[in-house]
Amino acid sequence: MERIDKMPEGVRACIHDYGLTVVQALIDLGVREPRHIRHVVETVLNEFSPTRGSKAAQGPGAAQ
């Protein structure tokens, strides 16, 4: 827990949203900016989840 507490606020917020394992993997690869971490994670989640992103079968665009 002390390790997480020493991290910048934005990175801690990413850990809260996505989990330490995911965020640490990106940090290990050199991705350190919270906005970059969010971008990568959201892109992957949107691509692989059928209920997220522009290809989603749910939401307002699905009824058309």
Side-chain angles (χ1 to χ4, degrees):
M1 200 64 159
E2 185 178 324
R3 182 174 118 211
I4 295 170
D5 290 340
K6 290 181 181 179
M7 293 180 173
E9 182 180 342
V11 174
R12 290 195 317 264
C14 290
I15 292 169
H16 174 76
D17 292 342
Y18 307 119
L20 178 60
T21 303
V22 172
V23 174
Q24 188 62 57
L26 290 166
I27 291 171
D28 291 347
L29 292 171
V31 181
R32 303 224 185 308
E33 288 284 330
R35 65 188 175 103
H36 294 162
I37 293 170
R38 288 188 182 284
H39 177 76
V40 171
V41 175
E42 289 295 324
T43 299
V44 171
L45 289 174
N46 287 341
E47 184 65 24
F48 288 103
S49 177
T51 59
R52 293 177 60 116
S54 61
K55 299 176 190 173
Q58 298 179 354
Q64 297 175 359

